[in-house]
Amino acid sequence: MNFLRLPLIITSLLLSLTSYAETSIWQVSNGENTVYLGGTFHMLKPSDYPLPKEFEEVYKKVNWLVFETDIDQLDTPAFQKKFIKAMTLPSGQILADQLSPQAYAGLIRYAAKNKIDTGRLQHFRPQMIGLIISLEELKKFGLTAQGVDNFMGDKAKLDGKIITKLESVDEQINYIATMGKGNESDLILQTLEDIKDLPNDLTTMGNAWRVGDRKSLFETGIKPMMEDYPQVYRSLLVERNNNWLPKIERLIKQPEKKFILVGALHLVGENGLLQQLKNRGYQVQQYKAPS
């Protein structure tokens, strides 16, 4: 069975892991200007702090940080209200009507086992249910602390550094709310199946990340997504990467060094940012800390 499906896809796209971040930063140059491209996962274990020294080293080299979206808005009541609205079914519709009998029965069993009130879930879209299941499972393994994006963002604000984004919060909400559209039952069934292997998946991803093994990251994260979640892969990864590339190229043309932080799986594979930038003639190499 393939592994690293929705729970870790969500983690790597939305949430951050950096305890293995020694080699998770790459330098991208056009021969004159350089930016640093770092992979994130947005949820950490408390034991992951302090962050690896490479993040601090690169942070000190730049006066400009770029995140996927406006991280200041993510904790605001306005964002939460907007997110919940996007994840709520239209009036008169309920979750039970959105899923196949098999998918709904599987959800009921999971909810009962984990003491989740299914009545409170009835008005949410299946995409929200998949997210809830994934985050609940990740919390069981201690991924509950502030992620790198928020940590670095708070630090940058205190230090008066420039902070910009690659996409709006509205765009990010839309990508999440529509992932797997048209295949919602499969999304729920696969998520329920995937969580069985989550402990091994977390270890596998961590080990691959620790040594900066892009091939292993592809085999662990991207390949299963392409096979089991092709629509999610296209919308959450390929489409967003393609939207970000011209923005990143404009950032590279400017002389100021920048630290760009995006979800880890955006970096690897043929459609990943690193390969696409390399194909466009940029010099791409893994960041090496000074000896």
Side-chain angles (χ1 to χ4, degrees):
M1 170 181 161
N2 289 324
F3 50 99
L4 195 67
R5 297 186 177 103
L6 191 61
L8 287 184
I9 290 169
I10 287 175
T11 311
S12 60
L13 294 174
L14 309 175
L15 316 171
S16 296
L17 165 91
T18 54
S19 57
Y20 310 120
E22 182 177 354
T23 53
S24 63
I25 301 172
W26 279 262
Q27 294 177 222
V28 181
S29 172
N30 63 0
E32 297 180 1
N33 307 322
T34 298
V35 300
Y36 299 93
L37 193 53
T40 68
F41 270 54
H42 310 294
M43 258 175 131
L44 292 170
K45 295 179 181 179
S47 59
D48 289 326
Y49 286 94
L51 295 179
K53 63 179 182 179
E54 288 77 14
F55 273 81
E56 183 65 25
E57 288 172 359
V58 171
Y59 176 84
K60 289 179 178 178
K61 292 176 183 287
V62 307
N63 193 44
W64 189 335
L65 279 78
V66 183
F67 298 96
E68 288 187 16
T69 192
D70 187 341
I71 56 176
D72 278 345
Q73 290 191 42
L74 299 181
D75 292 326
T76 64
F79 171 81
Q80 299 297 328
K81 183 177 180 180
K82 187 178 294 186
F83 183 79
I84 293 299
K85 181 179 180 180
M87 288 295 193
T88 300
L89 290 165
S91 178
Q93 296 185 22
I94 60 172
L95 178 64
D97 296 331
Q98 310 299 310
L99 301 174
S100 67
Q102 182 185 8
Y104 190 66
L107 176 61
I108 293 297
R109 288 192 294 271
Y110 174 84
K113 181 178 178 180
N114 290 273
K115 299 180 180 179
I116 296 174
D117 180 4
T118 53
R120 299 178 62 183
L121 305 179
Q122 287 299 325
H123 299 293
F124 286 126
R125 296 182 183 277
Q127 288 83 356
M128 182 65 166
I129 304 306
L131 183 62
I132 290 171
I133 294 171
S134 300
L135 296 182
E136 284 298 315
E137 291 300 312
L138 291 167
K139 287 178 183 178
K140 294 177 183 179
F141 297 98
L143 280 83
T144 58
Q146 179 190 51
V148 174
D149 309 72
N150 291 101
F151 180 84
M152 285 291 184
D154 290 344
K155 187 176 177 63
K157 282 187 290 184
L158 288 174
D159 292 338
K161 298 198 177 192
I162 299 169
I163 300 174
T164 56
K165 63 184 184 298
L166 294 172
E167 66 187 16
S168 69
V169 292
D170 288 341
E171 289 174 310
Q172 192 164 89
I173 288 174
N174 182 63
Y175 282 121
I176 299 168
T178 59
M179 64 180 179
K181 187 175 182 180
N183 295 278
E184 285 83 357
S185 292
D186 290 339
L187 185 73
I188 296 301
L189 286 169
Q190 194 65 60
T191 302
L192 292 171
E193 182 67 20
D194 295 344
I195 61 178
K196 298 175 183 178
D197 290 332
L198 189 55
N200 290 334
D201 295 348
L202 286 169
T203 300
T204 301
M205 174 63 89
N207 289 340
W209 197 247
R210 192 194 307 268
V211 297
D213 186 345
R214 288 164 62 181
K215 180 179 179 181
S216 182
L217 287 171
F218 173 81
E219 293 293 329
T220 306
I222 300 297
K223 187 176 180 181
M225 197 196 312
M226 293 171 68
E227 295 173 351
D228 299 320
Y229 297 96
Q231 289 183 314
V232 175
Y233 170 70
R234 287 192 296 271
S235 63
L236 283 184
L237 275 178
V238 179
E239 184 177 332
R240 293 170 77 204
N241 284 350
N242 292 342
N243 288 341
W244 295 349
L245 271 170
K247 299 177 183 180
I248 292 174
E249 288 190 282
R250 287 196 293 271
L251 291 169
I252 296 173
K253 290 178 182 178
Q254 300 166 349
E256 299 92 342
K257 287 185 172 65
K258 304 163 192 74
F259 194 4
I260 304 170
L261 292 156
V262 299
L265 295 185
H266 284 287
L267 300 182
V268 299
E270 290 186 5
N271 294 305
L273 293 174
L274 296 175
Q275 186 60 50
Q276 290 206 57
L277 286 165
K278 189 174 181 180
N279 291 344
R280 295 186 182 206
Y282 295 96
Q283 301 165 24
V284 178
Q285 61 182 17
Q286 210 161 17
Y287 175 73
K288 301 296 183 184
S291 302

